[in-house]
Amino acid sequence: MTSPHNGQREHGMDIGLVGLGKMGGNMRTRMRNGGVTVVGYDHNPDISDVGSLSELVEQLPSPKVVWVMVPAGDITRSTVEELIELLGEGDVIVDGGNSRWTDDEKHSVLAAEKGIGYVDCGVSGGVWGLDNGYALMAGGTAEDIAKVQPAFDALKPEGESGFVHAGRVGAGHFSKMVHNGIEYAMMQAYAEGFELLEKVDIVDNVTDVFDSWREGTVVRSWLLDLLVNALQDDPGLSKVRGYAEDSGEGRWTVEAAIDNAVPMHTIAASLFARFTSRQEESPAMQAVAAMRQQFGGHAVRAAEEQGIDAAAADPSDPV
């Protein structure tokens, strides 16, 4: 196992890292660059340091800390359950994926039966995290957080911000979930502004307008920077289909708002907009068009018609 080091901050500790994909692989590199000794395991033997989870655990000194960075859901659950069998009292499992906070609570109870600590950590930074650092939101006891702190310090961005011990187990992923819900709304606002600017004939260069907002305005952000990058590569975004998935965290955020009676108009609307993006034809808008025709005789576009502006005002519209 190699441990590249480039003279960055020293945060010595040993840690196991399960999952070496786009995020996990870059996190291994950043931790090693920060002085952390990382034993990485992945199903792909070409990038794995060891051949199995048990071999990973064997190579770690006690108390052992193993960070799980695999897709949320069944894969994370099975990995955590296997680690609980392999680890012992005083060791710590960290779930750094996008798991739901309710899963953290269940896993921590299982781990506690063997005296194993459990930390959940929401991680934000994407493919840029290797160079810029990762924003980290952690949940767990102070004792367990302390065992992982050198890894947190190596992964976080330079400066005072970028890491938070958000609360008890589940608080890290809950915080990251809300973060992603806010991200949905910010992206939707930029997107709707883009569509309006593109629609009118008074604005000549939409890309330059967005670029001008990157300095000195209250709407500047990293998301805005990324949108400008995309527009510079493909003005008008003609190469991109308007289909947007949701990772699940937007849904969880809205569900949590319902459970806690918190009004969440903007984030809920941005989630529903993603659902709309997946429809070739909106059944709801078909129903609206049909009702308008029924009560006002408004023109409707037949399914096979082309070239009719369905949004054009009907001069016979009594409203």
Side-chain angles (χ1 to χ4, degrees):
M1 178 181 67
T2 58
S3 297
H5 177 64
N6 63 3
Q8 291 183 356
R9 301 163 292 173
E10 287 287 352
H11 303 289
M13 73 170 289
D14 292 77
I15 193 169
L17 180 61
V18 182
L20 303 173
K22 291 180 181 178
M23 286 278 282
N26 283 345
M27 289 169 64
R28 174 174 63 175
T29 300
R30 186 170 176 91
M31 282 193 283
R32 286 177 173 174
N33 289 344
V36 175
T37 300
V38 184
V39 181
Y41 170 68
D42 194 275
H43 286 303
N44 180 356
D46 295 334
I47 59 176
S48 188
D49 300 317
V50 292
S52 66
L53 274 182
S54 59
E55 188 179 345
L56 176 147
V57 170
E58 289 170 5
Q59 290 200 18
L60 295 174
S62 294
K64 303 175 189 289
V65 177
V66 181
W67 188 306
V68 178
M69 204 70 197
V70 300
D74 291 341
I75 298 176
T76 293
R77 281 191 283 272
S78 62
T79 302
V80 168
E81 288 169 2
E82 187 174 350
L83 283 171
I84 289 172
E85 295 302 314
L86 294 169
L87 295 171
E89 187 170 354
D91 297 338
V92 176
I93 297 171
V94 183
D95 179 2
N98 282 331
S99 296
R100 192 165 183 165
W101 82 96
T102 50
D103 286 347
D104 297 319
E105 293 170 341
K106 295 173 185 175
H107 291 158
S108 67
V109 170
L110 292 175
E113 292 175 358
K114 286 190 62 179
I116 300 169
Y118 195 90
V119 170
D120 62 288
C121 184
V123 181
S124 182
V127 296
W128 302 82
L130 174 59
D131 295 325
N132 298 341
Y134 299 89
L136 306 167
M137 294 145 267
T141 67
E143 180 183 4
D144 290 335
I145 293 290
K147 293 176 182 177
V148 193
Q149 195 64 55
F152 292 144
D153 292 339
L155 287 168
K156 69 179 286 293
E158 297 284 353
E160 296 300 316
S161 297
F163 169 78
V164 61
H165 180 190
R168 62 180 176 83
V169 168
H173 279 146
F174 193 95
S175 299
K176 176 60 162 46
M177 176 194 74
V178 175
H179 164 281
N180 282 22
I182 293 170
E183 178 185 301
Y184 275 47
M186 291 175 65
M187 293 170 70
Q188 187 65 26
Y190 286 134
E192 291 173 5
F194 165 76
E195 182 172 350
L196 180 57
L197 287 167
E198 282 282 336
K199 187 78 171 182
V200 301
D201 59 9
I202 193 172
V203 178
D204 295 327
N205 195 322
V206 175
T207 300
D208 283 354
V209 170
F210 274 97
D211 188 47
S212 73
W213 295 348
R214 297 169 70 185
E215 297 291 343
T217 74
V218 295
V219 300
R220 63 189 185 273
S221 72
W222 186 38
L223 281 173
L224 179 61
D225 294 341
L226 296 177
L227 177 56
V228 171
N229 289 345
L231 289 171
Q232 290 172 341
D233 292 341
D234 178 18
L237 303 179
S238 60
K239 300 176 184 177
V240 181
R241 184 183 166 205
Y243 182 106
E245 286 285 5
D246 65 288
S247 64
E249 295 200 68
R251 300 185 190 209
W252 300 343
T253 305
V254 173
E255 289 170 3
I258 293 169
D259 291 341
N260 291 278
V262 174
M264 194 165 276
H265 313 288
T266 306
I267 293 175
S270 65
L271 172 65
F272 295 150
R274 295 199 182 190
F275 298 163
T276 301
S277 78
R278 301 169 205 169
Q279 298 176 326
E280 292 287 341
E281 182 69 78
S282 168
M285 296 316 297
Q286 287 175 300
V288 168
M291 285 185 284
R292 292 185 76 246
Q293 183 188 39
Q294 290 293 316
F295 72 70
H298 305 295
V300 294
R301 181 189 298 185
E304 68 275 6
E305 282 185 312
Q306 299 293 330
I308 299 176
D309 183 3
D314 185 337
S316 67
D317 190 336
V319 179

Short mmCIF file of all heavy atoms in Angstrom, two decimals, residues 137-196:
data_model
loop_
_atom_site.label_atom_id
_atom_site.label_comp_id
_atom_site.label_asym_id
_atom_site.label_seq_id
_atom_site.Cartn_x
_atom_site.Cartn_y
_atom_site.Cartn_z
N MET A 137 -20.62 17.07 7.86
CA MET A 137 -21.63 17.25 8.91
C MET A 137 -21.75 15.92 9.65
O MET A 137 -22.24 14.94 9.09
CB MET A 137 -22.97 17.63 8.28
CG MET A 137 -22.97 19.00 7.61
SD MET A 137 -24.01 19.08 6.09
CE MET A 137 -22.77 18.69 4.83
N ALA A 138 -21.29 15.87 10.90
CA ALA A 138 -21.19 14.60 11.61
C ALA A 138 -22.17 14.51 12.77
O ALA A 138 -22.49 15.50 13.42
CB ALA A 138 -19.77 14.41 12.13
N GLY A 139 -22.64 13.28 13.02
CA GLY A 139 -23.49 13.00 14.17
C GLY A 139 -22.91 11.85 14.98
O GLY A 139 -22.37 10.90 14.41
N GLY A 140 -23.02 11.91 16.30
CA GLY A 140 -22.48 10.86 17.15
C GLY A 140 -22.08 11.42 18.49
O GLY A 140 -22.23 12.62 18.76
N THR A 141 -21.53 10.57 19.36
CA THR A 141 -21.07 11.05 20.66
C THR A 141 -19.75 11.79 20.50
O THR A 141 -19.01 11.58 19.52
CB THR A 141 -20.86 9.88 21.63
OG1 THR A 141 -19.75 9.07 21.16
CG2 THR A 141 -22.11 9.02 21.73
N ALA A 142 -19.44 12.65 21.45
CA ALA A 142 -18.18 13.39 21.40
C ALA A 142 -16.99 12.44 21.41
O ALA A 142 -15.97 12.68 20.75
CB ALA A 142 -18.11 14.36 22.59
N GLU A 143 -17.10 11.34 22.17
CA GLU A 143 -16.02 10.36 22.25
C GLU A 143 -15.74 9.71 20.90
O GLU A 143 -14.58 9.58 20.48
CB GLU A 143 -16.36 9.29 23.29
CG GLU A 143 -15.29 8.22 23.45
CD GLU A 143 -15.70 7.13 24.43
OE1 GLU A 143 -16.84 7.17 24.92
OE2 GLU A 143 -14.87 6.23 24.68
N ASP A 144 -16.79 9.32 20.19
CA ASP A 144 -16.61 8.68 18.89
C ASP A 144 -16.13 9.68 17.84
O ASP A 144 -15.29 9.35 16.99
CB ASP A 144 -17.92 8.04 18.43
CG ASP A 144 -18.29 6.82 19.26
OD1 ASP A 144 -17.38 6.20 19.84
OD2 ASP A 144 -19.50 6.50 19.35
N ILE A 145 -16.66 10.89 17.88
CA ILE A 145 -16.22 11.94 16.94
C ILE A 145 -14.72 12.18 17.10
O ILE A 145 -13.99 12.34 16.11
CB ILE A 145 -17.00 13.25 17.18
CG1 ILE A 145 -18.47 13.08 16.81
CG2 ILE A 145 -16.37 14.40 16.39
CD1 ILE A 145 -18.76 12.94 15.35
N ALA A 146 -14.25 12.19 18.35
CA ALA A 146 -12.83 12.46 18.61
C ALA A 146 -11.94 11.40 17.97
O ALA A 146 -10.83 11.71 17.51
CB ALA A 146 -12.59 12.52 20.11
N LYS A 147 -12.39 10.15 17.92
CA LYS A 147 -11.60 9.08 17.32
C LYS A 147 -11.45 9.26 15.80
O LYS A 147 -10.51 8.75 15.21
CB LYS A 147 -12.23 7.72 17.62
CG LYS A 147 -12.17 7.34 19.10
CD LYS A 147 -12.89 6.02 19.37
CE LYS A 147 -12.87 5.68 20.86
NZ LYS A 147 -13.61 4.43 21.17
N VAL A 148 -12.41 9.98 15.19
CA VAL A 148 -12.39 10.17 13.74
C VAL A 148 -11.84 11.55 13.37
O VAL A 148 -11.55 11.83 12.21
CB VAL A 148 -13.82 10.02 13.16
CG1 VAL A 148 -13.79 9.91 11.63
CG2 VAL A 148 -14.52 8.79 13.72
N GLN A 149 -11.65 12.43 14.35
CA GLN A 149 -11.34 13.84 14.09
C GLN A 149 -10.13 14.06 13.17
O GLN A 149 -10.17 14.94 12.31
CB GLN A 149 -11.13 14.59 15.41
CG GLN A 149 -11.15 16.12 15.24
CD GLN A 149 -12.50 16.64 14.78
OE1 GLN A 149 -13.53 16.37 15.41
NE2 GLN A 149 -12.50 17.40 13.69
N PRO A 150 -9.04 13.31 13.31
CA PRO A 150 -7.92 13.54 12.38
C PRO A 150 -8.31 13.35 10.92
O PRO A 150 -7.83 14.08 10.04
CB PRO A 150 -6.88 12.51 12.83
CG PRO A 150 -7.17 12.28 14.27
CD PRO A 150 -8.66 12.34 14.38
N ALA A 151 -9.20 12.39 10.64
CA ALA A 151 -9.67 12.19 9.27
C ALA A 151 -10.54 13.37 8.83
O ALA A 151 -10.43 13.85 7.69
CB ALA A 151 -10.44 10.89 9.16
N PHE A 152 -11.41 13.83 9.74
CA PHE A 152 -12.23 15.00 9.42
C PHE A 152 -11.34 16.20 9.09
O PHE A 152 -11.59 16.93 8.14
CB PHE A 152 -13.14 15.36 10.61
CG PHE A 152 -14.23 14.36 10.89
CD1 PHE A 152 -14.61 14.11 12.21
CD2 PHE A 152 -14.88 13.69 9.88
CE1 PHE A 152 -15.63 13.21 12.49
CE2 PHE A 152 -15.91 12.79 10.15
CZ PHE A 152 -16.28 12.55 11.46
N ASP A 153 -10.30 16.40 9.90
CA ASP A 153 -9.42 17.54 9.71
C ASP A 153 -8.68 17.47 8.37
O ASP A 153 -8.44 18.50 7.73
CB ASP A 153 -8.41 17.63 10.85
CG ASP A 153 -9.05 18.00 12.18
OD1 ASP A 153 -10.17 18.56 12.16
OD2 ASP A 153 -8.45 17.72 13.23
N ALA A 154 -8.32 16.26 7.95
CA ALA A 154 -7.63 16.11 6.67
C ALA A 154 -8.57 16.33 5.49
O ALA A 154 -8.15 16.82 4.44
CB ALA A 154 -7.01 14.71 6.59
N LEU A 155 -9.83 15.97 5.66
CA LEU A 155 -10.78 16.05 4.55
C LEU A 155 -11.39 17.44 4.38
O LEU A 155 -11.70 17.85 3.26
CB LEU A 155 -11.92 15.04 4.76
CG LEU A 155 -11.57 13.57 4.55
CD1 LEU A 155 -12.70 12.69 5.08
CD2 LEU A 155 -11.32 13.28 3.08
N LYS A 156 -11.59 18.17 5.47
CA LYS A 156 -12.30 19.45 5.40
C LYS A 156 -11.50 20.50 4.64
O LYS A 156 -10.28 20.36 4.47
CB LYS A 156 -12.62 19.96 6.81
CG LYS A 156 -11.38 20.41 7.59
CD LYS A 156 -11.75 20.93 8.98
CE LYS A 156 -12.41 22.28 8.95
NZ LYS A 156 -11.51 23.37 8.50
N PRO A 157 -12.15 21.55 4.16
CA PRO A 157 -11.42 22.65 3.50
C PRO A 157 -10.53 23.39 4.50
O PRO A 157 -10.69 23.27 5.71
CB PRO A 157 -12.55 23.56 3.00
CG PRO A 157 -13.79 22.73 3.02
CD PRO A 157 -13.61 21.76 4.14
N GLU A 158 -9.60 24.17 3.96
CA GLU A 158 -8.79 25.05 4.81
C GLU A 158 -9.71 26.08 5.46
O GLU A 158 -10.74 26.44 4.92
CB GLU A 158 -7.73 25.77 3.98
CG GLU A 158 -6.72 24.84 3.33
CD GLU A 158 -5.69 24.29 4.31
OE1 GLU A 158 -5.70 24.75 5.47
OE2 GLU A 158 -4.88 23.44 3.92
N GLY A 159 -9.34 26.57 6.63
CA GLY A 159 -10.13 27.59 7.29
C GLY A 159 -10.94 27.04 8.44
O GLY A 159 -10.88 25.86 8.77
N GLU A 160 -11.74 27.92 9.04
CA GLU A 160 -12.48 27.58 10.24
C GLU A 160 -13.76 26.80 9.95
O GLU A 160 -14.21 26.02 10.78
CB GLU A 160 -12.82 28.86 11.02
CG GLU A 160 -11.60 29.61 11.55
CD GLU A 160 -10.77 28.75 12.49
OE1 GLU A 160 -11.35 28.06 13.36
OE2 GLU A 160 -9.53 28.76 12.35
N SER A 161 -14.37 27.02 8.81
CA SER A 161 -15.63 26.37 8.48
C SER A 161 -15.39 25.08 7.70
O SER A 161 -14.28 24.77 7.30
CB SER A 161 -16.53 27.31 7.67
OG SER A 161 -16.86 28.46 8.43
N GLY A 162 -16.47 24.34 7.49
CA GLY A 162 -16.36 23.13 6.67
C GLY A 162 -16.58 21.85 7.45
O GLY A 162 -16.77 20.79 6.85
N PHE A 163 -16.55 21.91 8.78
CA PHE A 163 -16.84 20.73 9.60
C PHE A 163 -17.74 21.14 10.75
O PHE A 163 -17.55 22.19 11.37
CB PHE A 163 -15.58 20.10 10.18
CG PHE A 163 -15.88 19.05 11.23
CD1 PHE A 163 -16.29 17.78 10.86
CD2 PHE A 163 -15.80 19.36 12.59
CE1 PHE A 163 -16.61 16.82 11.81
CE2 PHE A 163 -16.12 18.41 13.55
CZ PHE A 163 -16.52 17.13 13.16
N VAL A 164 -18.74 20.28 11.05
CA VAL A 164 -19.58 20.53 12.21
C VAL A 164 -19.96 19.20 12.86
O VAL A 164 -20.26 18.22 12.17
CB VAL A 164 -20.87 21.31 11.82
CG1 VAL A 164 -21.73 20.52 10.83
CG2 VAL A 164 -21.70 21.66 13.06
N HIS A 165 -19.87 19.16 14.19
CA HIS A 165 -20.47 18.07 14.96
C HIS A 165 -21.90 18.52 15.21
O HIS A 165 -22.17 19.31 16.13
CB HIS A 165 -19.70 17.84 16.26
CG HIS A 165 -20.27 16.74 17.09
ND1 HIS A 165 -19.86 16.50 18.39
CD2 HIS A 165 -21.23 15.81 16.83
CE1 HIS A 165 -20.54 15.47 18.88
NE2 HIS A 165 -21.38 15.04 17.96
N ALA A 166 -22.83 18.02 14.40
CA ALA A 166 -24.18 18.56 14.36
C ALA A 166 -25.05 18.11 15.53
O ALA A 166 -26.03 18.79 15.86
CB ALA A 166 -24.86 18.18 13.04
N GLY A 167 -24.71 16.98 16.15
CA GLY A 167 -25.53 16.48 17.24
C GLY A 167 -25.37 14.99 17.40
O GLY A 167 -24.34 14.42 17.03
N ARG A 168 -26.38 14.33 17.93
CA ARG A 168 -26.33 12.89 18.18
C ARG A 168 -26.37 12.12 16.86
O ARG A 168 -26.50 12.71 15.79
CB ARG A 168 -27.47 12.47 19.09
CG ARG A 168 -28.87 12.72 18.52
CD ARG A 168 -29.93 12.26 19.50
NE ARG A 168 -31.29 12.56 19.07
CZ ARG A 168 -32.00 11.80 18.24
NH1 ARG A 168 -31.48 10.70 17.72
NH2 ARG A 168 -33.24 12.15 17.91
N VAL A 169 -26.29 10.81 16.96
CA VAL A 169 -26.32 9.96 15.77
C VAL A 169 -27.56 10.29 14.92
O VAL A 169 -28.68 10.38 15.45
CB VAL A 169 -26.33 8.47 16.16
CG1 VAL A 169 -26.67 7.59 14.95
CG2 VAL A 169 -24.98 8.05 16.73
N GLY A 170 -27.36 10.48 13.64
CA GLY A 170 -28.42 10.86 12.72
C GLY A 170 -28.39 12.33 12.36
O GLY A 170 -28.89 12.73 11.30
N ALA A 171 -27.81 13.16 13.24
CA ALA A 171 -27.82 14.61 13.02
C ALA A 171 -26.99 15.02 11.80
O ALA A 171 -27.32 15.99 11.12
CB ALA A 171 -27.31 15.34 14.26
N GLY A 172 -25.92 14.27 11.52
CA GLY A 172 -25.09 14.59 10.38
C GLY A 172 -25.83 14.40 9.06
O GLY A 172 -25.86 15.29 8.21
N HIS A 173 -26.43 13.23 8.92
CA HIS A 173 -27.16 12.95 7.68
C HIS A 173 -28.43 13.80 7.58
O HIS A 173 -28.84 14.17 6.48
CB HIS A 173 -27.50 11.46 7.59
CG HIS A 173 -26.35 10.64 7.10
ND1 HIS A 173 -26.13 9.35 7.53
CD2 HIS A 173 -25.36 10.92 6.21
CE1 HIS A 173 -25.05 8.87 6.93
NE2 HIS A 173 -24.57 9.80 6.14
N PHE A 174 -29.06 14.12 8.71
CA PHE A 174 -30.23 14.98 8.66
C PHE A 174 -29.83 16.37 8.17
O PHE A 174 -30.51 16.97 7.33
CB PHE A 174 -30.89 15.08 10.04
CG PHE A 174 -32.27 15.69 10.02
CD1 PHE A 174 -33.39 14.88 9.96
CD2 PHE A 174 -32.44 17.07 10.03
CE1 PHE A 174 -34.67 15.43 9.92
CE2 PHE A 174 -33.71 17.63 9.99
CZ PHE A 174 -34.83 16.82 9.93
N SER A 175 -28.69 16.87 8.66
CA SER A 175 -28.20 18.18 8.23
C SER A 175 -27.86 18.17 6.74
O SER A 175 -28.17 19.12 6.01
CB SER A 175 -26.98 18.58 9.04
OG SER A 175 -27.29 18.67 10.42
N LYS A 176 -27.21 17.11 6.28
CA LYS A 176 -26.87 17.00 4.86
C LYS A 176 -28.13 16.90 4.01
O LYS A 176 -28.18 17.43 2.89
CB LYS A 176 -25.98 15.78 4.64
CG LYS A 176 -25.62 15.48 3.18
CD LYS A 176 -24.87 16.64 2.53
CE LYS A 176 -24.14 16.24 1.25
NZ LYS A 176 -24.86 15.43 0.30
N MET A 177 -29.15 16.23 4.51
CA MET A 177 -30.42 16.12 3.80
C MET A 177 -31.03 17.51 3.60
O MET A 177 -31.46 17.85 2.48
CB MET A 177 -31.38 15.24 4.59
CG MET A 177 -32.76 15.11 4.01
SD MET A 177 -33.92 14.39 5.21
CE MET A 177 -34.16 15.78 6.34
N VAL A 178 -31.05 18.33 4.64
CA VAL A 178 -31.59 19.68 4.52
C VAL A 178 -30.73 20.50 3.58
O VAL A 178 -31.23 21.28 2.75
CB VAL A 178 -31.71 20.34 5.91
CG1 VAL A 178 -32.15 21.80 5.77
CG2 VAL A 178 -32.69 19.56 6.79
N HIS A 179 -29.41 20.35 3.66
CA HIS A 179 -28.49 21.01 2.74
C HIS A 179 -28.86 20.70 1.30
O HIS A 179 -28.93 21.58 0.44
CB HIS A 179 -27.06 20.54 3.04
CG HIS A 179 -26.05 20.83 1.97
ND1 HIS A 179 -25.94 20.05 0.83
CD2 HIS A 179 -25.11 21.79 1.86
CE1 HIS A 179 -24.97 20.53 0.07
NE2 HIS A 179 -24.45 21.58 0.67
N ASN A 180 -29.13 19.43 1.01
CA ASN A 180 -29.47 19.04 -0.35
C ASN A 180 -30.84 19.57 -0.77
O ASN A 180 -31.05 19.90 -1.93
CB ASN A 180 -29.43 17.52 -0.49
CG ASN A 180 -28.01 16.99 -0.61
OD1 ASN A 180 -27.07 17.66 -0.20
ND2 ASN A 180 -27.86 15.81 -1.17
N GLY A 181 -31.77 19.65 0.19
CA GLY A 181 -33.06 20.25 -0.12
C GLY A 181 -32.91 21.71 -0.51
O GLY A 181 -33.53 22.18 -1.48
N ILE A 182 -32.08 22.45 0.22
CA ILE A 182 -31.80 23.85 -0.12
C ILE A 182 -31.14 23.94 -1.49
O ILE A 182 -31.44 24.82 -2.31
CB ILE A 182 -30.93 24.50 0.97
CG1 ILE A 182 -31.70 24.61 2.28
CG2 ILE A 182 -30.43 25.87 0.54
CD1 ILE A 182 -30.85 25.00 3.48
N GLU A 183 -30.24 23.01 -1.76
CA GLU A 183 -29.57 22.95 -3.06
C GLU A 183 -30.58 22.79 -4.19
O GLU A 183 -30.47 23.44 -5.24
CB GLU A 183 -28.58 21.78 -3.05
CG GLU A 183 -27.83 21.56 -4.35
CD GLU A 183 -26.98 20.30 -4.25
OE1 GLU A 183 -26.12 20.23 -3.35
OE2 GLU A 183 -27.20 19.37 -5.07
N TYR A 184 -31.60 21.93 -3.99
CA TYR A 184 -32.65 21.76 -5.00
C TYR A 184 -33.28 23.12 -5.33
O TYR A 184 -33.49 23.46 -6.49
CB TYR A 184 -33.76 20.84 -4.45
CG TYR A 184 -33.55 19.37 -4.59
CD1 TYR A 184 -32.35 18.76 -4.26
CD2 TYR A 184 -34.59 18.55 -5.02
CE1 TYR A 184 -32.18 17.39 -4.35
CE2 TYR A 184 -34.44 17.17 -5.12
CZ TYR A 184 -33.23 16.60 -4.77
OH TYR A 184 -33.07 15.24 -4.86
N ALA A 185 -33.63 23.86 -4.27
CA ALA A 185 -34.33 25.13 -4.47
C ALA A 185 -33.45 26.17 -5.14
O ALA A 185 -33.91 26.91 -6.02
CB ALA A 185 -34.83 25.65 -3.12
N MET A 186 -32.18 26.23 -4.76
CA MET A 186 -31.26 27.18 -5.39
C MET A 186 -31.09 26.87 -6.88
O MET A 186 -31.13 27.78 -7.73
CB MET A 186 -29.90 27.14 -4.69
CG MET A 186 -29.90 27.69 -3.28
SD MET A 186 -28.31 27.49 -2.44
CE MET A 186 -27.25 28.54 -3.44
N MET A 187 -30.91 25.59 -7.19
CA MET A 187 -30.76 25.20 -8.59
C MET A 187 -32.00 25.55 -9.40
O MET A 187 -31.91 26.03 -10.54
CB MET A 187 -30.47 23.70 -8.68
CG MET A 187 -29.13 23.30 -8.11
SD MET A 187 -28.93 21.50 -7.98
CE MET A 187 -28.82 21.03 -9.70
N GLN A 188 -33.18 25.32 -8.81
CA GLN A 188 -34.42 25.61 -9.52
C GLN A 188 -34.57 27.10 -9.79
O GLN A 188 -35.02 27.51 -10.87
CB GLN A 188 -35.61 25.09 -8.72
CG GLN A 188 -36.95 25.18 -9.44
CD GLN A 188 -37.01 24.29 -10.67
OE1 GLN A 188 -36.32 23.28 -10.75
NE2 GLN A 188 -37.83 24.67 -11.63
N ALA A 189 -34.19 27.93 -8.82
CA ALA A 189 -34.29 29.38 -9.00
C ALA A 189 -33.37 29.86 -10.13
O ALA A 189 -33.78 30.66 -10.99
CB ALA A 189 -33.94 30.10 -7.70
N TYR A 190 -32.13 29.38 -10.13
CA TYR A 190 -31.23 29.72 -11.23
C TYR A 190 -31.80 29.25 -12.57
O TYR A 190 -31.73 29.96 -13.58
CB TYR A 190 -29.85 29.08 -11.03
CG TYR A 190 -29.00 29.72 -9.96
CD1 TYR A 190 -28.32 28.93 -9.02
CD2 TYR A 190 -28.82 31.10 -9.87
CE1 TYR A 190 -27.52 29.49 -8.04
CE2 TYR A 190 -28.02 31.67 -8.90
CZ TYR A 190 -27.37 30.87 -7.99
OH TYR A 190 -26.58 31.43 -7.03
N ALA A 191 -32.35 28.04 -12.57
CA ALA A 191 -32.86 27.45 -13.81
C ALA A 191 -34.04 28.25 -14.36
O ALA A 191 -34.13 28.49 -15.58
CB ALA A 191 -33.28 26.00 -13.56
N GLU A 192 -34.94 28.68 -13.49
CA GLU A 192 -36.09 29.45 -13.95
C GLU A 192 -35.66 30.82 -14.46
O GLU A 192 -36.20 31.33 -15.46
CB GLU A 192 -37.12 29.56 -12.82
CG GLU A 192 -37.78 28.23 -12.50
CD GLU A 192 -38.69 28.27 -11.28
OE1 GLU A 192 -38.89 29.38 -10.72
OE2 GLU A 192 -39.18 27.20 -10.86
N GLY A 193 -34.68 31.42 -13.80
CA GLY A 193 -34.14 32.69 -14.29
C GLY A 193 -33.50 32.52 -15.66
O GLY A 193 -33.66 33.38 -16.55
N PHE A 194 -32.77 31.42 -15.83
CA PHE A 194 -32.16 31.13 -17.13
C PHE A 194 -33.22 31.02 -18.22
O PHE A 194 -33.09 31.60 -19.31
CB PHE A 194 -31.36 29.83 -17.04
CG PHE A 194 -30.98 29.24 -18.38
CD1 PHE A 194 -29.95 29.79 -19.12
CD2 PHE A 194 -31.67 28.14 -18.88
CE1 PHE A 194 -29.60 29.26 -20.36
CE2 PHE A 194 -31.33 27.61 -20.12
CZ PHE A 194 -30.30 28.16 -20.86
N GLU A 195 -34.31 30.31 -17.94
CA GLU A 195 -35.34 30.12 -18.96
C GLU A 195 -35.97 31.46 -19.36
O GLU A 195 -36.22 31.71 -20.54
CB GLU A 195 -36.42 29.17 -18.46
CG GLU A 195 -37.50 28.89 -19.49
CD GLU A 195 -38.47 27.80 -19.10
OE1 GLU A 195 -38.21 27.09 -18.11
OE2 GLU A 195 -39.49 27.65 -19.80
N LEU A 196 -36.23 32.34 -18.38
CA LEU A 196 -36.83 33.63 -18.70
C LEU A 196 -35.87 34.50 -19.52
O LEU A 196 -36.28 35.14 -20.50
CB LEU A 196 -37.23 34.35 -17.42
CG LEU A 196 -37.88 35.73 -17.60
CD1 LEU A 196 -39.13 35.63 -18.48
CD2 LEU A 196 -38.24 36.34 -16.25
#
